[in-house]
Amino acid sequence: MRQFAAGDRTAAIGWLLLGGGVAVWLVTLRRITSADLTDVGLVGALPWGHWIGVALVTAAFAVACEARHIPTRLAVSCIVAIAVILYGTPAIIEALPRFNTVYVHLGLIEAITRNERFFPELDARFSWPLFFAAAAMISQLSQVDLMAVAAWVPLATIFAVLPAMWILVNAFANDRRLSFVALWFLLLGNWVGQDYLSPQGMNFILYVWFLALVAWFFRRAPSSRDWVMRVLGKMRLPRSVVVDLTKPSSNVAGARVGMLLIVVALATISAASHQLTPFAMIGASLALVIVGRTSLKSLPILVALITILWVSFAGQEFLLGNLSSLLHDVGNAGGTTGSAIGSRVRGSPGHVFVVLERILFSGAFWGLAFLGILRRLRVGIWDVAAVALAVVPFGIIGLQSYGGEIFLRVFLFALPPMAFLAAAAIFPVSYDRSRLQTVFLVLLSAGMAVGFVIGRYGNERADIVEPGELALTDQVYRTVPQGSLVATVDYNSPIAYRFYEEYHHFELAETVEVLTPEIVAKELDATREGHPAYLFLTNGQERLEDLQGMPSGAWQRLTDALGGSARFHVEVTSDSGTLYRYIPVAAP
């Protein structure tokens, strides 16, 4: 080792740590089932090698960041390795793709493939169908079974985001160490799990690339503003402030025209595939215009026009049918906040712990980003563009509750600039480097890795899909006549993954603890409109009800009552669930 230069020794140590971490992680991987999971999710089911692998890869990344001239290959390899470990582990250890909504989306794609048309009358997502149409086309042309690749979509999504994140961070600051740490924190901070096979996952890619291209190719020269100087004067911070360290774009006119076309294309694709992301694009581009960091002053108007045109025509049916509920949330930020947070802090003790951890993790991450703002200000840098892009997503709260998920979307939209600012809390500038900062990076990364697994996979006991449930669902398709009503206690079953438009899917309104055969029969009679009706209960539904605080024994009481009722006949049963055929009372 003495024959190596200092930089070579550092890189060699880093590569040894990285290789050891990946090897330990791979060797200790094992298959898991729902029986291995508790109410705090995946964190307790992961083998010890997972955490050793995370620790060693983190140490390797810290070694790379400690070097005076950061070794690019080592840093990139560490980022790729931690992405595979954090995002790819469920795809390896679980038999099927996780998360019920994936199966709903597979059903929508299958319906388009089989019928070669959309069904906006059945599902609002068909009014923004570009994602589903593109997936159906790719599936047909490539002959790839989407079920087989769905589990790897989160990893593919984050790999598609990372290059855009690199461009975006370099639009904020010309500092390679800061850029690598920002990518690292993007991976560790993305606990919300919206990057599965979904329009939101695709639009996360579109959104970050939209930010990156606008912020980099159309950036304006930094300039110090009077209001900045007044604020800094009151804060007793350095008055020799640079708005940021990047130079204005020097791209030739042809390249700028080409990039503008790409930016408009990204906005158009987003408007045709997702309800919320185009509004985030409008806010982000408007924020950059207001702070004077882009030359595309008309871009917010153009994106808004594209969005309005799509909603007015393709989304007209959805808009007219839901206008009152959409307008109800506008300006009701307090009510939206209460419903988005308060409604989730309930359920079993383990589930409540997970929800509280997600809230604390988000708050701590935003607090770290705020510390990064202060540290950059202390050295004379005011990251006006990054701060504007980090703050503007919070304005969506006053527009829409988004089914109680608005805070997940706000966190996701704010994540890229927040990751940059959080990285600045450790390495505010390239020349400011010490062993204490490296130790802090290791400790913080280890804590964030644990928080990431708890937050992202905390519902894994319900999110996991067992092969038995999918096999039972296939039996249901063979048993239930098309056109029938299929009811479930909650949404957590793969019943919609095929023949989506051929059945009427219905979720019972009453909770399990109050359901009786008579109440179930009443709800089915009010909904079935003369069609045959069935009740489909699975272990996945039971696990979700347990997480949400179902009283002990309530599920068994319901199934016992249904089994003894003359109104419900067992058609199909297995260890994974039961299908009941509803027998209506004959009219007198």
Side-chain angles (χ1 to χ4, degrees):
M1 292 294 291
R2 291 179 180 177
Q3 295 178 359
F4 289 105
D8 295 330
R9 289 199 301 269
T10 298
I13 293 171
W15 283 111
L16 287 174
L17 291 171
L18 176 60
V22 173
V24 172
W25 169 71
L26 283 173
V27 168
T28 57
L29 283 177
R30 62 180 179 86
R31 284 282 187 175
I32 66 168
T33 65
S34 58
D36 300 311
L37 302 168
T38 66
D39 285 359
V40 295
L42 193 61
V43 65
L46 291 172
W48 55 268
H50 176 91
W51 302 110
I52 293 178
V54 169
L56 291 176
V57 173
T58 300
F61 182 73
V63 167
C65 292
E66 171 66 16
R68 181 173 299 277
H69 301 290
I70 185 167
T72 300
R73 292 181 181 178
L74 176 60
V76 170
S77 299
C78 291
I79 289 172
V80 171
I82 201 68
V84 173
I85 292 174
L86 294 180
Y87 293 78
T89 294
I92 300 174
I93 66 177
E94 297 180 7
L96 290 172
R98 57 187 297 275
F99 209 38
N100 164 267
T101 310
V102 168
Y103 293 85
V104 177
H105 293 166
L106 288 172
L108 298 177
I109 295 167
E110 191 264 349
I112 295 173
T113 303
R114 186 163 29 82
N115 297 278
E116 298 182 353
R117 61 175 290 255
F118 304 131
F119 298 90
E121 69 278 6
L122 296 180
D123 196 293
R125 283 166 285 203
F126 278 121
S127 295
W128 287 266
L130 186 56
F131 167 79
F132 302 105
M137 181 184 68
I138 293 172
S139 176
Q140 282 187 303
L141 293 177
S142 64
Q143 296 298 305
V144 171
D145 180 9
L146 293 180
M147 175 81 76
V149 301
W152 295 99
V153 168
L155 182 61
T157 298
I158 204 66
F159 278 152
V161 167
L162 288 176
M165 181 65 182
W166 179 268
I167 296 173
L168 180 64
V169 172
N170 279 273
F172 297 151
N174 185 20
D175 185 336
R176 294 175 67 251
R177 179 175 287 102
L178 187 56
S179 298
F180 280 124
V181 177
L183 266 63
W184 183 261
F185 280 168
L186 177 78
L187 295 172
L188 294 177
N190 184 21
W191 67 264
V192 294
Q194 297 295 312
D195 44 20
Y196 54 94
L197 183 72
S198 65
Q200 176 62 70
M202 184 186 77
N203 273 265
F204 182 49
I205 300 173
L206 298 177
Y207 181 71
V208 182
W209 275 102
F210 177 87
L211 295 184
L213 297 182
V214 173
W216 174 259
F217 284 94
F218 301 97
R219 63 193 186 278
R220 295 181 61 186
S223 59
S224 183
R225 295 173 178 256
D226 292 339
W227 64 271
V228 175
M229 303 308 295
R230 288 196 297 270
V231 170
L232 294 175
K234 293 179 181 180
M235 297 174 65
R236 298 181 180 179
L237 292 171
R239 293 184 62 83
S240 57
V241 166
V242 180
V243 177
D244 59 40
L245 294 181
T246 59
K247 297 179 180 180
S249 177
S250 58
N251 301 296
V252 298
R256 288 167 60 85
V257 171
M259 286 300 163
L260 178 59
L261 293 176
I262 293 175
V263 167
V264 173
L266 293 175
T268 304
I269 295 171
S270 180
S273 59
H274 198 240
Q275 301 96 323
L276 192 61
T277 304
F279 293 96
M281 288 181 172
I282 295 170
S285 55
L286 181 61
L288 291 176
V289 170
I290 291 175
V291 300
R293 294 303 293 120
T294 181
S295 59
L296 295 177
K297 294 184 179 180
S298 60
L299 183 61
I301 300 174
L302 181 58
V303 178
L305 181 61
I306 293 171
T307 304
I308 292 171
L309 287 174
W310 182 269
V311 173
S312 301
F313 291 95
Q316 184 179 24
E317 184 173 343
F318 170 81
L319 185 65
L320 295 177
N322 299 272
L323 186 60
S324 59
S325 61
L326 293 174
L327 293 177
H328 177 267
D329 292 334
V330 176
N332 187 24
T336 298
T337 302
S339 64
I341 297 178
S343 63
R344 294 179 178 272
V345 187
R346 62 183 180 87
S348 67
H351 182 62
V352 171
F353 167 78
V354 170
V355 174
L356 293 177
E357 188 274 341
R358 290 167 175 168
I359 296 172
L360 292 175
F361 185 95
S362 302
F365 190 75
W366 291 336
L368 186 66
F370 182 72
L371 177 62
I373 296 173
L374 295 182
R375 292 205 69 189
R376 294 275 281 179
L377 281 172
R378 286 288 182 183
V379 296
I381 305 169
W382 171 229
D383 298 294
V384 60
V387 172
L389 293 178
V391 171
V392 74
F394 289 87
I396 304 175
I397 297 173
L399 297 178
Q400 181 58 236
S401 66
Y402 211 70
E405 292 189 355
I406 193 61
F407 271 98
L408 300 180
R409 313 304 170 125
V410 167
F411 187 91
L412 191 65
F413 290 137
L415 178 60
M418 286 285 186
F420 163 74
L421 296 171
I426 301 179
F427 297 106
V429 288
S430 58
Y431 54 80
D432 184 13
R433 185 174 56 89
S434 69
R435 289 289 173 87
L436 184 61
Q437 288 172 312
T438 305
V439 171
F440 185 53
L441 173 62
V442 172
L443 296 177
L444 183 62
S445 298
M448 288 183 67
V450 176
F452 172 92
V453 173
I454 295 174
R456 186 180 180 95
Y457 305 118
N459 293 346
E460 202 64 16
R461 185 165 171 251
D463 291 340
I464 191 173
V465 178
E466 298 279 19
E469 294 179 55
L470 199 64
L472 180 61
T473 301
D474 288 331
Q475 286 186 272
V476 171
Y477 292 141
R478 293 191 292 267
T479 303
V480 177
Q482 293 185 354
S484 300
L485 173 72
V486 181
T488 55
V489 167
D490 55 50
Y491 59 83
N492 201 42
S493 76
I495 186 59
Y497 94 100
R498 290 172 60 197
F499 309 114
Y500 182 89
E501 81 290 0
E502 299 293 349
Y503 297 97
H504 303 281
H505 300 282
F506 174 64
E507 184 178 334
L508 296 175
E510 295 291 345
T511 56
V512 173
E513 56 264 31
V514 301
L515 281 177
T516 63
E518 292 73 24
I519 293 176
V520 175
K522 184 178 180 180
E523 290 199 37
L524 294 180
D525 282 331
T527 310
R528 66 188 184 90
E529 298 180 348
H531 297 283
Y534 293 79
L535 177 64
F536 186 45
L537 302 182
T538 63
N539 294 348
Q541 296 174 59
E542 181 183 6
R543 295 194 299 268
L544 178 60
E545 294 297 320
D546 281 338
L547 285 182
Q548 294 179 343
M550 177 181 64
S552 176
W555 189 269
Q556 188 64 47
R557 286 194 297 271
L558 174 61
T559 56
D560 289 345
L562 290 169
S565 173
R567 308 280 301 272
F568 292 89
H569 179 266
V570 175
E571 291 287 300
V572 178
T573 187
S574 74
D575 293 338
S576 299
T578 304
L579 174 71
Y580 301 89
R581 176 168 56 89
Y582 173 57
I583 304 173
V585 175

